[in-house]
Amino acid sequence: MTGTILITGTTSGFGQVMARLFTRNGWKVIGTGRRADRLEKLNEELGDAFCPVVFDIMDEAATRAALSGLPEDFQDIDILVNNAGLALGTALAPDTRLSDWKTMIDTNITGLVTITDLLLPKLIERKGMIVNISSIAANWPYPGGNVYAGTKAFLRQFSLGLRSDLHGKGVRVTSIEPGLCESEFTLVRTGGNRESYDALYGGANAIQPEDIAGTVFWIATQPAHLNINSLEIMPVSQSWTGWQIAREN
């Protein structure tokens, strides 16, 4: 099976590796992102099978314009991978910045539902697929997760809601919920703090972008009568800790 797949956030991490994997296997890939230089470089690497589209997913007008301006041979989109997203900061709620919270909501929720809404008619027409990259944070709270975890919980529930609303239309919807993943994502979250990055991932054998790309490819190539509703993935090194307990003196 091959077709056309649109992957948001292909300038790094999961999205970039997905673009490579799908083009290598005969798919046409539309890759979106804000950083034109990175998309141009990826286009040089992947060739005519890759269509770079530069826009900020938080900008609805730019998103609409980008989709309406797709080349004709990239318009029949079979799969949407909602991969673009971010986490900002690791502080507890009383110490966070409201602007960071709003940026996460605008990116992880508002931008995502906008592009999904715009592509739904085509996905219904082609009996396509939506793959949403959520997180174990959707299910398991942790200190400092606050709004980021909330956005991922929304995404998980949105995926289930889409499944219900698209009943009988042949459209498949999956929520992928990874645990500890090693990528540029964490450097963004910590403001580029390499020391914090190294402390988090040192010796952890964390999930790699190739692991998630391979998972998305597996889901994309399952028979059309099967739907993977949700898939939670952790590295073997990660499991659950005990509950927090605040004790009185």
Side-chain angles (χ1 to χ4, degrees):
M1 172 187 172
T2 59
T4 300
I5 182 170
L6 188 153
I7 306 167
T8 66
T10 55
T11 57
S12 66
F14 299 165
Q16 191 175 90
V17 178
M18 280 184 229
R20 292 189 178 110
L21 178 59
F22 276 88
T23 55
R24 192 165 65 238
N25 283 276
W27 289 69
K28 290 189 290 187
V29 175
I30 303 160
T32 82
R34 293 179 293 109
R35 292 173 285 190
D37 57 332
R38 292 195 178 193
L39 288 177
E40 289 170 8
K41 186 175 181 181
L42 195 57
N43 192 20
E44 291 172 4
E45 175 189 339
L46 301 179
D48 292 341
F50 182 74
C51 176
V53 185
V54 182
F55 65 93
D56 187 336
I57 201 165
M58 292 192 294
D59 185 335
E60 180 176 339
T63 302
R64 288 181 179 275
L67 296 180
S68 65
L70 289 172
E72 186 175 350
D73 56 342
F74 281 90
Q75 290 181 4
D76 287 336
I77 297 169
D78 299 289
I79 300 178
L80 166 64
V81 179
N82 281 314
N83 168 69
L86 80 167
L88 295 174
T90 58
L92 303 183
D95 302 316
T96 57
R97 293 184 298 188
L98 180 59
S99 60
D100 286 347
W101 280 9
K102 289 184 175 181
T103 298
M104 285 187 279
I105 292 168
D106 289 344
T107 304
N108 300 356
I109 296 179
T110 308
L112 181 145
V113 300
T114 298
I115 196 168
T116 302
D117 176 72
L118 294 174
L119 289 178
L120 268 181
K122 177 63 70 175
L123 294 168
I124 291 170
E125 172 192 324
R126 298 186 63 78
K127 297 185 184 299
M129 176 185 294
I130 300 167
V131 179
N132 292 322
I133 306 298
S134 181
S135 167
I136 61 167
N139 303 314
W140 310 106
Y142 60 91
N146 46 70
V147 166
Y148 170 72
T151 65
K152 292 304 183 178
F154 169 87
L155 185 48
R156 172 181 166 79
Q157 195 63 28
F158 182 55
S159 302
L160 297 175
L162 284 173
R163 280 277 286 135
S164 295
D165 291 349
L166 296 171
H167 177 76
K169 298 188 181 300
V171 178
R172 292 176 282 171
V173 185
T174 298
S175 171
I176 299 180
E177 296 147 18
L180 183 68
C181 300
E182 185 172 4
S183 75
E184 189 176 310
F185 173 91
T186 303
L187 279 178
V188 172
R189 183 169 198 175
T190 61
N193 186 327
R194 175 58 67 172
E195 184 178 339
S196 175
Y197 180 95
D198 292 341
L200 178 62
Y201 292 113
N205 294 318
I207 294 169
Q208 298 299 308
E210 290 78 8
D211 300 322
I212 300 304
T215 301
V216 173
F217 185 80
W218 173 76
I219 290 169
T221 53
Q222 291 304 295
H225 69 284
L226 297 180
N227 191 89
I228 311 301
N229 296 328
S230 62
L231 190 58
E232 185 177 276
I233 309 170
M234 287 182 178
V236 174
S237 64
Q238 185 180 32
S239 61
W240 299 272
T241 58
W243 295 105
Q244 298 182 95
I245 300 173
R247 303 185 187 278
E248 296 179 356
N249 293 329

